[in-house]
Amino acid sequence: MNEAIVVLNAGSSSLKFSIYEVAGLGLLPLARGQVEGLVTSPHFKAKDQNGQSLADDSLVSTGGRIGHPEAFAHLADWALKHFGERLRTIAVGHRIVHGGTEFIGPTLITEKVLGKLEQLVPIMPLHQPHNLAGVRAAMQLRPDLTQVACFDTAFHRTKPKVAERFGLPDEMFREGVRRWGFHGLSYESISNQFRTLAPEIAAGRVVVAHLGNGASLCAMKDGQSVDTTMSFSALDGPPMGTRCGTLDPGVILFLLRQGWKVEQIEELLYRKSGLLGISQVSSDMRELQASREPLAAEAIEFFVYRIIREIGSLVAVLGGLDALVFTGGIGENSPAIREEVCYHLSWLGVNIDSSANARGTGRISSKSQAPAVWVIPTDEEKVIADHTLTVVRSFNEQLTAPNQVPVASVSASR
Ligand code: ADP
């Protein structure tokens, strides 16, 4: 029987998962999918490593609503039926959006750790509670398994203090009103891959553009975050599918004076703005690119404009640019957006090869050209699975080592 690691990413209406088989020192992807439409119209989908469908079923509840616990139970049942006795799950790795200042690496989850993560709910109310609901669901159904938390904020804890501040009173900084930064597991994936693909360039000044439904950019020196565009929440930075991006806080004051309620403002900023809000057509880049509506073109123009402004500012922080890396659904799949962004960066010496850009994998600038431009698919789940395996092994070593008491929190290096 082979060992397996399950990775969970629990959101407000979905439970995404990936399953990896432990193979020697590495991990083999076996399946990934999600239970989507939790509570309203739950549906289970799973695919194998080649994208072939393994399951595509509507879930019908016999006893009440289908939330995170029921979704995890369904996944466990399905995995048992599908893989049979061939696989034995040894651990679950969880994507947790916020680790605050304390959790700066992957962490073995105990009740005490969970309690500390719950204290971060007020500063991340839209994501953290759902992530933790996924942890509770897995812990309740499978208390025998090692549970590991991996944090989106952790990668950015290398940022200098000056890049962590807002221009607010210092006591607010100490209370947690600071520029945390997110998408950290994606940036860690790119940093790791880039170090393997082009170690000399990765050791320099790199801007990574993670452009998907959520979009942010990260300035890295020697593979470590020195600044990033998302800050206290996932709203800051370039506009996104439905999120506004950077906004003058005076706009919020204006809306409050106009009588808007907090929930209405939240709905506006998170779900009705960005590409959708400007275009009134769609939040989906493919649909905007196919649309003839003038506002769809304006939404794309604004998206690109804000990205190049952010890149300019991050290049200033880095003191130059050795490489630009595109990732995320748009960054990996849209030659047109990459071309447009790079065109506006020609003053920096950015120049891509059009046929390499059309292929869209690996280096898309010519070999001699500096700065280099790359497309690298992100794989956040693999980062979580790798960390989870490291934590499990380290915990097991402590258990078996003579005269050692296992500690509750095990950090793996990244
Ligand atoms: P999330 O932030 O939800 O993980 P993704 O990284 O999956 O989002 O990115 C989704 C975005 O990627 C959507 O706007 C989608 O239109 C865009 N996208 C995916 N494929 C293409 C493509 N071939 N051309 C342009 N945009 C694409």
Side-chain angles (χ1 to χ4, degrees):
M1 188 185 278
N2 292 341
E3 294 179 327
I5 302 268
V6 174
V7 171
L8 292 184
N9 179 1
S12 58
S13 63
S14 69
L15 181 72
K16 294 185 182 149
F17 69 90
S18 303
I19 302 175
Y20 293 85
E21 181 175 335
V22 180
L25 291 176
L27 289 164
L28 287 177
L30 291 183
R32 64 172 60 194
Q34 61 177 315
V35 182
E36 58 194 11
L38 286 182
V39 184
T40 50
S41 50
H43 195 96
F44 178 74
K45 283 186 186 163
K47 289 184 175 171
D48 70 11
Q49 67 279 18
N50 301 316
Q52 295 296 313
S53 176
L54 300 173
D56 194 342
D57 311 313
S58 288
L59 303 189
V60 186
S61 164
T62 48
R65 58 174 229 145
I66 294 186
H68 292 105
E70 295 77 15
F72 183 71
H74 183 82
L75 167 63
D77 268 0
W78 175 82
L80 190 62
K81 279 188 200 122
H82 185 76
F83 297 108
E85 299 297 311
R86 186 164 85 76
L87 280 188
R88 180 176 70 88
T89 302
I90 55 166
V92 184
H94 297 268
R95 179 179 187 169
I96 307 289
V97 68
H98 218 304
T101 47
E102 183 168 358
F103 299 106
I104 57 169
T107 301
L108 188 73
I109 306 176
T110 60
E111 279 298 331
K112 193 172 163 198
V113 167
L114 207 46
K116 289 184 177 181
L117 295 178
E118 262 155 14
Q119 286 171 13
L120 294 167
V121 165
I123 61 172
M124 208 66 200
L126 298 185
H127 299 86
Q128 191 88 341
H130 307 297
N131 297 165
L132 299 183
V135 175
R136 288 249 177 248
M139 283 172 93
Q140 270 158 21
L141 191 75
R142 292 295 306 271
D144 55 310
L145 296 180
T146 305
Q147 313 272 341
V148 177
C150 297
F151 302 95
D152 262 311
T153 48
F155 185 75
H156 299 296
R157 298 285 63 76
T158 48
K159 282 162 63 189
K161 193 172 177 188
V162 69
E164 291 267 291
R165 278 196 187 278
F166 291 111
L168 290 170
D170 186 57
E171 71 260 23
M172 299 198 76
F173 176 78
R174 282 183 268 119
E175 282 163 13
V177 184
R178 56 173 79 187
R179 306 190 72 252
W180 296 102
F182 299 95
H183 278 150
L185 294 159
S186 171
Y187 290 126
E188 192 174 344
S189 167
I190 300 303
S191 174
N192 293 344
Q193 293 184 64
F194 205 29
R195 276 188 172 139
T196 308
L197 290 165
E200 279 169 23
I201 310 176
R205 301 156 299 178
V206 178
V207 170
V208 180
H210 176 116
L211 309 178
N213 276 321
S216 73
L217 296 98
C218 180
M220 294 183 196
K221 259 188 192 161
D222 195 15
Q224 295 196 324
S225 173
V226 294
D227 206 346
T228 189
T229 58
M230 274 187 186
S231 62
F232 178 70
S233 73
L235 287 173
D236 210 352
M240 309 176 209
T242 61
R243 288 176 241 162
C244 57
T246 301
L247 189 72
D248 178 348
V251 176
I252 312 288
L253 296 177
F254 168 76
L255 295 176
L256 287 169
R257 288 211 178 89
Q258 294 289 309
W260 284 57
K261 303 270 176 294
V262 171
E263 294 73 21
Q264 290 174 302
I265 297 177
E266 197 168 86
E267 179 73 7
L268 171 77
L269 303 183
Y270 277 93
R271 286 180 278 277
K272 291 188 173 166
S273 297
L275 297 176
L276 174 67
I278 294 171
S279 70
Q280 302 291 305
V281 171
S282 172
S283 63
D284 191 290
M285 182 55 79
R286 278 167 297 196
E287 289 179 23
L288 294 179
Q289 288 174 328
S291 169
R292 294 183 170 195
E293 290 295 324
L295 281 177
E298 279 193 41
I300 297 174
E301 184 188 9
F302 182 65
F303 181 69
V304 170
Y305 176 72
R306 297 305 300 212
I307 289 167
I308 57 171
R309 272 190 58 160
E310 296 289 5
I311 292 174
S313 127
L314 294 175
V315 169
V317 165
L318 288 170
L321 184 70
D322 298 310
L324 172 65
V325 180
F326 288 97
T327 193
I330 299 170
E332 290 166 31
N333 297 303
S334 177
I337 295 291
R338 291 193 298 260
E339 186 181 335
E340 197 63 18
V341 169
C342 290
Y343 170 76
H344 286 98
L345 298 176
S346 50
W347 61 277
L348 273 170
V350 170
N351 188 3
I352 53 175
D353 177 289
S354 50
S355 50
N357 184 39
R359 281 195 301 278
T361 46
R363 188 170 181 146
I364 61 169
S365 54
S366 67
K367 257 211 162 126
S368 54
Q369 188 75 32
V373 184
W374 285 71
V375 178
I376 303 178
T378 190
D379 195 346
E380 292 141 300
E381 290 77 17
K382 178 69 167 36
V383 171
I384 299 172
D386 282 335
H387 281 317
T388 302
L389 184 60
T390 306
V391 172
V392 170
R393 291 208 163 125
S394 149
F395 187 63
N396 288 346
E397 271 166 28
Q398 289 184 49
L399 277 178
T400 50
N403 307 322
Q404 288 281 329
V405 180
V407 292
S409 173
V410 183
S411 288
S413 63
R414 36 165 201 255

